[in-house]
């Protein structure tokens, strides 16, 4: 991080990721200046406050200064910070909106999330559209900010002379990596999308943009971890598009043991792990807005390798328990997962396990049942669980369903996978019902307290976009 004269470094750091960088730095400098000058103002009469605000502050950074190659690292770090906070919000909201949690909030905004009532006019719908990373699931604005930062900083880096920025290619690759993940989230979460005031786009068009960004990242990222993260992201985007062979090829480039996550911190609202903060923190009296859903409790695997509940060997991949205290609605017992124990816990984005399940799903879709079942059994072996005996003779439809079920356990409350599977397989033989729908644990449209569910599945393109974009009717 950098220092500005008369400006606290932490204040500037907190500004990264919300709006124009030039404006953020200038505003931070002005606030610091006002704090220094206010005692004098109180002792002086007839002062012109506007004149004070326009004082020339040493260290103030203007737009031209952001084209200084010396700021290249700062620019890249701003892209990373924006993308990580946006992903943390997206993944937490996606998990809450899926069937991994039942609604337990006494707060209207958060209860609407759990009950699938985030209409464009609702409190939660407004927060989804315009909220920040520090708010209750601000998603659209943080993701679009991260995506725009990727484009803007990539262009700035392109203007720098390689002699002034020796690490230029790697920096550009890093920027493209995080831009790809922002696009991936926009494509997976929303029913449709628009970029830079353009025409309305369908998810596959957004995924194609993400594939392009990941491709550029692969050729330039340099660092092995970020190259693997680029392959993992591109594999996921290709899977979403139904490019089965492409997804397999990319997922095979992700090495065993690989983990990639958004860095989080407990002492800054926009840097907190939002799933732990909003849902899983059993010690906070107002954060238990959801309780782990009944069908993800006491999960087991039978001797024959069938996925069961409370009947066989405990599945260590879904660590769920309760200490018996009430959730925020003061009527439902709060169940939580030991996958997240602190607001500083990283928010997972990709892993070898996720890449293996991409290979399994795509292989099953292409008719290669042996590979898909082999992946399932490999992951079972790593978890110390019995192999799936029935996989040897299972049909294609059953193997695809088994891969989705395996992913629901292997990647429980991780990487927004459950929400994505619920949307990708909507209307198919493997459809996973949302809570409140027939086939779910709440099949009659009512939650455990008798409150009615809404009908939201994918998130609608926000009014802030449709009302302000002349290319969308």
């Amino acid at each position: 991080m950098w220092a500005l004269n008369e400006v606290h470094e932490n204040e500037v750091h907190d500004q990264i990721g919300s709006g124009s960088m030039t404006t953020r730095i200038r505003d931070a400098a002005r606030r610091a200046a006002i704090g220094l000058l206010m005692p004098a103002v109180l002792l002086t009469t007839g002062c012109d406050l506007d004149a004070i605000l326009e004082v020339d502050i040493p260290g103030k950074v203007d737009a031209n200064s952001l084209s200084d190659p010396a700021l290249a690292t700062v620019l890249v770090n701003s892209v990373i910070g924006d993308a990580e906070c946006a992903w943390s919000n997206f993944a937490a909201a996606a998990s809450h909106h899926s069937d991994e949690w039942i609604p337990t909030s006494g707060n209207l905004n958060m209860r609407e999330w759990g009950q699938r009532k985030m209409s464009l006019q609702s409190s939660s719908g407004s927060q989804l559209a315009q909220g920040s990373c520090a708010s209750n699931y601000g998603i659209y604005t943080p993701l679009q900010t991260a995506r725009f930062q990727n484009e803007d900083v990539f262009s700035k880096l392109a203007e720098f002379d390689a002699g002034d920025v020796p690490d230029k290619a790697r920096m550009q690759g890093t920027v493209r990596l995080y831009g790809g993940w922002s696009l991936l989230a926009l494509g997976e979460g929303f029913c449709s999308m628009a970029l830079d005031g353009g025409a309305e786009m369908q998810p596959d068009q957004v995924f194609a943009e993400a594939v392009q960004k990941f491709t550029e990242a692969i050729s330039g990222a340099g660092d092995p971890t970020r190259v693997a993260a680029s392959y993992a992201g591109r594999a996921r985007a290709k899977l979403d598009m139904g490019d089965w062979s492409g997804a397999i090829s990319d997922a095979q480039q992700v090495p065993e043991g690989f983990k990639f996550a958004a860095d989080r911190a407990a002492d800054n609202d926009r840097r907190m792990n939002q799933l732990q903060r909003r849902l899983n923190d059993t010690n906070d009296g107002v954060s238990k807005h959801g309780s782990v859903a009944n069908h993800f409790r006491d999960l087991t695997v039978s001797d024959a390798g069938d996925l069961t509940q409370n009947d066989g060997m405990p599945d260590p991949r879904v660590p769920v328990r309760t200490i018996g205290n009430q959730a925020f609605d003061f009527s439902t017992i709060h169940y939580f997962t030991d996958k997240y124990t602190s607001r500083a816990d990283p928010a997972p984005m990709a892993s070898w396990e996720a890449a293996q399940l991409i290979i399994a799903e795509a292989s099953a879709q292409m008719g290669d049942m042996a590979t898909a079942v082999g992946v399932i059994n490999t992951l079972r072996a790593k978890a110390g669980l019995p192999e799936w005996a029935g996989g040897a003779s299972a049909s294609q439809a059953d193997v695809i369903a088994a891969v989705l079920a395996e992913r629901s356990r292997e990647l429980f409350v991780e990487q927004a996978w459950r929400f994505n599977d619920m949307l990708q397989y909507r209307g198919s033989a493997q459809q996973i019902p949302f809570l409140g729908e027939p086939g779910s644990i709440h099949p009659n449209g009512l939650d455990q307290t008798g409150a009615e569910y809404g009908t939201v599945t994918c998130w609608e393109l926000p009014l802030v976009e449709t009302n302000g974009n002349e290319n969308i009717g």
Side-chain angles (χ1 to χ4, degrees):
M1 197 45 63
W2 73 104
L4 297 178
N5 293 337
E6 307 290 15
V7 180
H8 290 295
E9 178 178 339
N10 288 340
E11 182 175 8
V12 178
H13 174 78
D14 291 346
Q15 298 302 310
I16 289 180
S18 56
S20 162
M21 179 176 288
T22 306
T23 302
R24 294 197 302 272
I25 297 175
R26 183 185 299 118
D27 288 348
R30 285 187 175 183
R31 287 196 299 275
I34 291 171
L36 293 172
L37 294 171
M38 193 55 68
V41 172
L42 295 175
L43 297 175
T44 308
T45 59
C47 283
D48 183 350
L49 186 57
D50 288 338
I52 293 174
L53 291 175
E54 293 303 322
V55 67
D56 184 20
I57 303 170
K60 183 173 70 174
V61 179
D62 60 25
N64 291 332
S65 296
L66 292 178
S67 296
D68 182 353
L71 286 177
T73 299
V74 172
L75 294 171
V76 173
N77 285 341
S78 74
V79 171
I80 296 173
D82 280 338
E84 287 188 335
C85 79
W87 178 266
S88 177
N89 266 28
F90 163 71
S95 181
H96 195 172
H97 182 55
S98 76
D99 69 339
E100 292 177 320
W101 306 83
I102 56 175
T104 62
S105 182
N107 173 283
L108 173 62
N109 182 304
M110 297 301 285
R111 193 162 185 85
E112 287 177 343
W113 271 101
Q115 294 175 339
R116 301 197 294 119
K117 294 179 178 177
M118 306 90 69
S119 70
L120 297 181
Q121 291 76 26
S122 69
S123 172
S124 54
S126 175
Q127 193 69 57
L128 178 155
Q130 300 183 63
S132 71
C133 277
S135 62
N136 293 344
Y137 300 151
I139 299 172
Y140 188 75
T141 295
L143 283 173
Q144 286 282 22
T145 298
R147 185 200 60 79
F148 174 80
Q149 279 278 75
N150 153 67
E151 298 292 349
D152 186 52
V153 172
F154 187 88
S155 296
K156 284 184 169 63
L157 290 171
E159 296 171 359
F160 296 157
D161 187 277
D164 295 326
V165 186
D167 222 7
K168 175 178 172 178
R170 185 190 63 81
M171 288 183 172
Q172 287 183 299
T174 296
V175 166
R176 282 305 196 223
L177 163 64
Y178 285 94
W181 280 98
S182 301
L183 283 162
L184 188 64
L186 288 169
E188 287 187 353
F190 291 85
C191 307
S192 63
M193 187 46 53
L195 305 177
D196 298 322
E200 189 167 5
M201 304 167 66
Q202 295 307 303
D204 275 1
Q205 294 174 287
V206 184
F207 298 140
E209 291 281 337
V211 166
Q212 178 185 341
K213 298 299 183 290
F214 286 129
T215 299
E216 294 179 48
I218 289 167
S219 64
D223 175 80
T225 296
R226 289 177 176 171
V227 170
S230 302
Y231 275 115
R234 194 170 73 172
R236 181 164 172 169
K238 288 180 177 179
L239 185 79
D240 289 337
M241 298 171 69
D243 178 1
W244 311 126
S245 60
I248 291 171
S249 178
D250 283 346
Q252 288 172 335
Q253 306 305 312
V254 179
E256 186 170 356
F258 174 76
K259 302 285 185 184
F260 182 65
D263 183 53
R264 301 288 81 202
D267 58 353
N268 185 310
D269 281 352
R270 74 185 302 274
R271 297 244 303 127
M272 291 180 181
N273 181 312
Q274 294 296 347
L275 191 146
Q276 168 67 8
R277 182 185 192 187
R278 308 296 177 188
L279 295 164
N280 204 57
D281 190 349
T282 193
N283 295 314
D284 188 322
V286 296
S287 72
K288 299 182 286 291
H289 296 290
S291 179
V292 173
N294 307 49
H295 55 295
F296 282 105
R297 304 173 192 169
D298 301 314
L299 296 190
T300 50
V301 179
S302 73
D303 290 341
D306 296 320
L307 300 181
T308 52
Q309 187 171 20
N310 204 24
D311 182 20
M313 182 181 296
D315 193 331
R317 300 172 297 180
V318 192
V320 174
R321 62 189 179 93
T322 182
I323 57 175
N325 60 350
Q326 291 181 329
F328 194 20
D329 63 0
F330 301 110
S331 65
T332 305
I333 296 299
H334 183 240
Y335 283 80
F336 58 97
T337 174
D338 288 328
K339 276 197 168 184
Y340 305 101
T341 60
S342 164
R343 295 179 181 184
D345 285 352
M349 299 174 72
S351 64
W352 174 78
E353 290 80 4
Q356 288 297 298
L357 287 164
I358 287 175
I359 293 171
E361 180 184 351
S363 296
Q365 288 284 0
M366 295 178 69
D368 181 0
M369 305 308 136
T371 295
V373 174
V375 168
I376 289 174
N377 288 333
T378 295
L379 294 176
R380 295 274 188 91
K382 287 180 68 66
L385 295 168
E387 290 189 352
W388 181 32
S393 58
S395 67
Q396 181 182 35
D398 287 343
V399 172
I400 294 172
V403 171
L404 300 182
E406 205 71 23
R407 183 149 56 208
S408 76
R409 296 192 179 203
E410 187 71 49
L411 302 177
F412 174 62
V413 298
E414 274 192 40
Q415 306 176 38
W417 270 110
R418 184 62 170 177
F419 180 42
N420 191 43
D421 284 344
M422 295 176 82
L423 293 178
Q424 291 292 329
Y425 282 88
R426 192 117 179 114
S428 75
Q430 291 81 25
Q431 176 168 307
I432 305 165
F434 281 87
L435 296 180
E437 295 182 335
S440 73
I441 59 171
H442 296 154
N444 299 319
L446 304 176
D447 72 9
Q448 75 281 358
T449 69
E452 187 175 12
Y453 280 101
T455 59
V456 176
T457 55
C458 56
W459 304 323
E460 295 179 82
L461 190 62
L463 293 175
V464 67
E465 181 71 54
T466 56
N467 289 344
N469 186 339
E470 62 182 13
N471 291 307
I472 297 179

